[in-house]
Amino acid sequence: MPLRITGSLDETDLLFLPWSTPLEQWPDEYVVALPRGISRHVVRFTRIGDSVFAVKEISAALADHEYEMLTELRDMAFPCVKAVGVVQNRRDKDGEPLDSMLITRHLPYSLPYRAVFSGKPSKETVDRLIDALVLLIVRLHLVGFAWKDCSLSNTLFRRDA
């Protein structure tokens, strides 16, 4: 089966990334070092032109689910990263199957909450950060959306907000 990319790729150069290489083995020329949370999946950032994208290697079902969930949240005008696409039917150079990849646009000026808290913020800042997170979760629940994987690693804080 040929490589399948679904979504709306704003940058056609994404097509030329090393999709036949496991994400953990991507050459340094494709990887941008940015703060990220702890994840049970391999996550890397890549730059295409002036844009930065997060790429996460996960099962096809999970990639599709996360893409749909992020698109639904965006359609409801909730603050979240933009889902760009899903890459499926990946195979390595020996023809062995590889997991799918979810591509999201990196949110400029953002840090995972985990990184913010690791900087030892003041008590007042911690209180405001927790209040903002609680408000987000309440807003999600009020519209019937259950965030089943809420953690300090996958919750982003925008430094310019």
PDB file of all heavy atoms in Angstrom, residues 17 27 34 48 101 107 145 155:
ATOM      1  N   LEU A  17       9.442  14.814   4.027  1.00  0.00           N
ATOM      2  CA  LEU A  17      10.092  14.388   5.266  1.00  0.00           C
ATOM      3  C   LEU A  17      10.390  12.892   5.189  1.00  0.00           C
ATOM      4  O   LEU A  17       9.782  12.165   4.394  1.00  0.00           O
ATOM      5  CB  LEU A  17       9.196  14.718   6.466  1.00  0.00           C
ATOM      6  CG  LEU A  17       9.072  16.214   6.770  1.00  0.00           C
ATOM      7  CD1 LEU A  17       8.016  16.461   7.844  1.00  0.00           C
ATOM      8  CD2 LEU A  17      10.402  16.799   7.198  1.00  0.00           C
ATOM      9  N   PRO A  27      17.096  12.098  11.115  1.00  0.00           N
ATOM     10  CA  PRO A  27      18.366  12.829  11.149  1.00  0.00           C
ATOM     11  C   PRO A  27      18.187  14.219  11.778  1.00  0.00           C
ATOM     12  O   PRO A  27      17.117  14.825  11.704  1.00  0.00           O
ATOM     13  CB  PRO A  27      18.750  12.961   9.672  1.00  0.00           C
ATOM     14  CG  PRO A  27      17.936  11.923   8.955  1.00  0.00           C
ATOM     15  CD  PRO A  27      16.687  11.736   9.756  1.00  0.00           C
ATOM     16  N   LEU A  34      12.900  21.812  20.940  1.00  0.00           N
ATOM     17  CA  LEU A  34      11.966  22.678  21.655  1.00  0.00           C
ATOM     18  C   LEU A  34      11.532  21.961  22.931  1.00  0.00           C
ATOM     19  O   LEU A  34      11.539  20.728  22.980  1.00  0.00           O
ATOM     20  CB  LEU A  34      10.722  22.968  20.802  1.00  0.00           C
ATOM     21  CG  LEU A  34      10.915  23.871  19.602  1.00  0.00           C
ATOM     22  CD1 LEU A  34       9.640  23.907  18.758  1.00  0.00           C
ATOM     23  CD2 LEU A  34      11.289  25.268  20.035  1.00  0.00           C
ATOM     24  N   ILE A  48       9.580  23.645   8.731  1.00  0.00           N
ATOM     25  CA  ILE A  48       9.416  23.746   7.278  1.00  0.00           C
ATOM     26  C   ILE A  48       9.225  25.232   6.994  1.00  0.00           C
ATOM     27  O   ILE A  48       8.217  25.811   7.396  1.00  0.00           O
ATOM     28  CB  ILE A  48       8.197  22.947   6.766  1.00  0.00           C
ATOM     29  CG1 ILE A  48       8.278  21.477   7.161  1.00  0.00           C
ATOM     30  CG2 ILE A  48       8.022  23.135   5.277  1.00  0.00           C
ATOM     31  CD1 ILE A  48       9.374  20.694   6.489  1.00  0.00           C
ATOM     32  N   MET A 101       1.699   8.668  11.878  1.00  0.00           N
ATOM     33  CA  MET A 101       2.166   9.903  12.496  1.00  0.00           C
ATOM     34  C   MET A 101       1.064  10.955  12.437  1.00  0.00           C
ATOM     35  O   MET A 101       0.404  11.115  11.417  1.00  0.00           O
ATOM     36  CB  MET A 101       3.407  10.437  11.804  1.00  0.00           C
ATOM     37  CG  MET A 101       4.618   9.573  12.026  1.00  0.00           C
ATOM     38  SD  MET A 101       6.091  10.527  11.723  1.00  0.00           S
ATOM     39  CE  MET A 101       7.318   9.249  11.684  1.00  0.00           C
ATOM     40  N   LEU A 107       2.346  25.563  18.447  1.00  0.00           N
ATOM     41  CA  LEU A 107       1.730  26.792  18.915  1.00  0.00           C
ATOM     42  C   LEU A 107       2.837  27.757  19.340  1.00  0.00           C
ATOM     43  O   LEU A 107       3.527  27.504  20.329  1.00  0.00           O
ATOM     44  CB  LEU A 107       0.795  26.484  20.087  1.00  0.00           C
ATOM     45  CG  LEU A 107      -0.086  27.598  20.592  1.00  0.00           C
ATOM     46  CD1 LEU A 107      -1.037  28.086  19.500  1.00  0.00           C
ATOM     47  CD2 LEU A 107      -0.878  27.108  21.803  1.00  0.00           C
ATOM     48  N   PHE A 145     -17.319  17.703  26.232  1.00  0.00           N
ATOM     49  CA  PHE A 145     -16.044  17.135  25.781  1.00  0.00           C
ATOM     50  C   PHE A 145     -15.250  16.654  26.989  1.00  0.00           C
ATOM     51  O   PHE A 145     -14.983  17.422  27.908  1.00  0.00           O
ATOM     52  CB  PHE A 145     -15.238  18.191  25.017  1.00  0.00           C
ATOM     53  CG  PHE A 145     -14.041  17.633  24.317  1.00  0.00           C
ATOM     54  CD1 PHE A 145     -14.141  17.183  23.007  1.00  0.00           C
ATOM     55  CD2 PHE A 145     -12.826  17.535  24.963  1.00  0.00           C
ATOM     56  CE1 PHE A 145     -13.039  16.652  22.363  1.00  0.00           C
ATOM     57  CE2 PHE A 145     -11.724  17.012  24.321  1.00  0.00           C
ATOM     58  CZ  PHE A 145     -11.826  16.571  23.015  1.00  0.00           C
ATOM     59  N   THR A 155      -0.596  19.721  28.196  1.00  0.00           N
ATOM     60  CA  THR A 155      -1.345  20.967  28.315  1.00  0.00           C
ATOM     61  C   THR A 155      -0.362  22.101  28.058  1.00  0.00           C
ATOM     62  O   THR A 155       0.682  22.176  28.705  1.00  0.00           O
ATOM     63  CB  THR A 155      -1.943  21.127  29.726  1.00  0.00           C
ATOM     64  OG1 THR A 155      -2.728  19.969  30.022  1.00  0.00           O
ATOM     65  CG2 THR A 155      -2.795  22.365  29.808  1.00  0.00           C
TER      66      THR A 155
END
